[in-house]
Amino acid sequence: MSTVQIFATQDSWIESAAVDQCHRVAALTGMIRVAGMPDLHPGKGTPIGAAMTSTVLYPYLVGSDIGCGIAVFPITLKRAVAAKLAARFPDLDRPLRIGDGDPAWEVADGDVPAGHLDGLGTVGRGNHFVELARVDAVADVAHAGRLGVTTGDLVLVVHSGSRGLGERILRAHTDVHGAGPAADPGEYLARHDQAVRWGSLNRRLLAARVAHALGAAPTEPIVDQCHNLVEIRDGRYLHRKGAAPGDGRDVLVAGTRGTASYLVAAHAGPDANYSVAHGAGRKMSRADALRRGRVKHTVAELRRTPVGSVVVCGDRQLLFEEAPTAYKRIERVIADLVAHRLATPVASTVPLVTYKTADNGTGTRPDRRPRHRGRGQR
C-alpha cells in the first residue's frame, strides 16, 4: 500500500484538489510513496510540488518540461540601478543560432544535447524567468562563504527548462501510451537525460547572454538543480514534478518577482523522497489571477514590485497571471521546510530586475507562439 505525506504545517494552505491528485497518483500500479512539498498545488492531472517513488516509470508524472530547473550565477557589476539595467537586458525571446557570433556560445561545452536547436538561449513563457537579484541576508555565513556569496553580492537567477524538446519526448510517449507507464524505460530515460542536459545548458546560455549585455563576465553556477525529472534510486523510479533534489544539495527556492527567494541547504530523507520545494507555489489559477488582478492592479503597478524591482514583460496578460499576489508566501514555504527538517536557510535574495518576456514598447506580446500554461512560480 503506497503512502501519501504532505510536508506542510497547519498554518499552510494546501488546495484539496492537489491532495486529491496525490492520492490518485498513490493508487497507480507500483507506486510506493508520494511526498507533497509545502508549495504543493494542482496541475493538469498530476500534482506540482511532489516527489513520487514507484517500481514503474511514468513519464506523465514528470511532464513535458523535462529538465526545468533553477540555477544561480554570481555576477559583478559596478553599479546596480534597476531601471537602467532593465533597459539593457537582451531579447531572450530571440533564439541563438549556430555561427551567429554571439559571445554567449563560449560557455557551451560540446554538442547541443539531442541536436535540438529550437529555442536555444530563450527563457520561455509561463513561470520561467531570468532575474538579477541582490543577496539580502545571510543566515549561515560559513555555508554562504563556501558558495562564494555574501550580503550585497549580485546574482543571476535563471528558471527555464528544455523548451520544445521535453514536450516532444512526452508526446512521443503519450501519443501511444497516454498516461500509462513507459513501455521501454531505458529508451525514455536516454531521451529524458538529454533534455535534462539541454535545460542545464540553456540556463548557462541565458545567464551568459544577460551577463554580456550588462557588461559583465559570465560565471559558473553555484547552484543548478533540476526540479522536473526522474532518477533511479535504490532500484526504484523517483519522479519529481516541481520538486528539487534535497539529498545534500544547495537549492534556490524561488519566491515571486516581488518577494525574496531563499538559498537553502537541503537535507531531506526518504520520507520526503529526498526532495524539497522548488518555489512559492500558486494559490490562484491563472484565470483567477487575471480576473482579480485587473480589478486590483494597473499594468504600471505590476511593472514595479513592492520591493522596488523592475519587471521586463511585454505581455500584459502574463503580468497579471504571474503577479506576486497569485502565489503563496515564500516565508511560509521555507518555514515548513525547516519545521520538517528538510532544509536549512543559507541566504535570501531580493530581485532588482525580473525578465519574463521581451517588452517591445507597446505592452503587447512580441509574437503569437503558444504560451506555456504550467502552474509554477513567477
Side-chain angles (χ1 to χ4, degrees):
M1 181 68 179
S2 60
T3 61
V4 175
Q5 185 171 355
I6 310 300
F7 290 84
T9 62
Q10 293 182 344
D11 295 328
S12 297
W13 178 73
I14 303 291
E15 290 175 83
S16 59
V19 178
D20 290 344
Q21 286 184 342
C22 286
H23 283 281
R24 285 198 291 272
V25 168
L28 293 174
T29 300
M31 193 59 59
I32 298 170
R33 177 178 295 277
V34 177
M37 299 296 111
D39 60 334
L40 181 72
H41 53 284
K44 293 182 178 180
T46 58
I48 300 173
M52 301 148 281
T53 299
S54 174
T55 59
V56 177
L57 173 55
Y58 291 97
Y60 193 70
L61 296 182
V62 178
S64 62
D65 199 9
I66 305 165
C68 186
I70 296 177
V72 180
F73 302 79
I75 185 171
T76 301
L77 300 172
K78 291 182 179 180
R79 295 187 64 194
V81 180
K84 292 183 177 180
L85 292 173
R88 294 173 61 184
F89 264 61
D91 181 354
L92 300 178
D93 293 338
R94 177 185 60 81
L96 293 172
R97 304 295 184 191
I98 296 289
D100 64 5
D102 194 303
W105 281 113
E106 295 175 4
V107 304
D109 183 17
D111 295 333
V112 176
H116 184 75
L117 300 178
D118 292 345
L120 195 61
T122 63
V123 65
R125 290 288 190 269
N127 59 356
H128 296 153
F129 64 89
V130 177
E131 183 170 276
L132 175 67
R134 176 182 284 116
V135 177
D136 182 54
V138 174
D140 188 328
V141 175
H143 196 122
R146 290 194 294 272
L147 290 172
V149 296
T150 189
T151 303
D153 284 354
L154 299 178
V155 293
L156 288 173
V157 180
V158 182
H159 177 199
S160 191
S162 58
R163 308 292 280 113
L165 178 59
E167 183 177 3
R168 190 174 73 190
I169 293 169
L170 180 63
R171 186 173 297 167
H173 169 79
T174 57
D175 283 350
V176 179
H177 305 287
D184 185 340
E187 180 182 359
Y188 170 80
L189 286 172
R191 301 184 70 191
H192 160 283
D193 291 350
Q194 288 183 321
V196 170
R197 291 194 297 271
W198 198 100
S200 183
L201 170 61
N202 199 45
R203 290 188 284 277
R204 284 165 169 76
L205 288 170
L206 285 164
R209 294 185 76 177
V210 174
H212 282 298
L214 300 184
T219 60
E220 288 294 308
I222 58 173
V223 169
D224 186 10
Q225 294 300 334
C226 172
H227 50 241
N228 285 356
L229 77 163
V230 60
E231 66 177 63
I232 298 177
R233 189 177 188 118
D234 300 325
R236 299 165 176 170
Y237 298 106
L238 172 51
H239 311 74
R240 292 188 176 98
K241 176 63 173 176
D247 49 349
R249 321 280 184 97
D250 295 314
V251 176
L252 192 286
V253 185
T256 74
R257 66 189 187 221
T259 63
S261 295
Y262 287 82
L263 181 63
V264 303
H267 38 75
D271 286 351
N273 280 335
Y274 306 99
S275 302
V276 295
H278 78 312
R282 294 194 74 96
K283 68 179 181 183
M284 296 182 200
S285 69
R286 292 184 181 278
D288 284 345
L290 182 62
R291 175 175 53 83
R292 297 182 187 184
R294 283 174 169 167
V295 175
K296 296 177 60 177
H297 306 293
T298 66
V299 170
E301 288 172 344
L302 293 178
R303 292 183 188 276
R304 275 283 188 177
T305 75
V307 297
S309 62
V310 176
V311 180
V312 179
C313 183
D315 183 342
R316 293 189 178 203
Q317 181 172 325
L318 190 61
L319 272 172
F320 288 104
E321 290 176 347
E322 294 290 309
T325 52
Y327 290 88
K328 302 176 185 182
R329 291 183 62 247
I330 184 61
E331 292 80 10
R332 182 69 264 160
V333 171
I334 299 301
D336 283 359
L337 292 176
V338 172
H340 286 93
R341 300 181 180 180
L342 304 185
T344 301
V346 174
S348 61
T349 66
V350 173
L352 296 176
V353 179
T354 303
Y355 178 102
K356 296 292 295 179
T357 185
D359 189 347
N360 61 3
T362 66
T364 58
R365 294 188 66 213
D367 58 49
R368 295 292 178 183
R369 290 172 292 178
R371 186 189 307 157
H372 171 68
R373 288 289 180 179
R375 298 187 66 199
Q377 66 278 358
R378 301 301 170 107

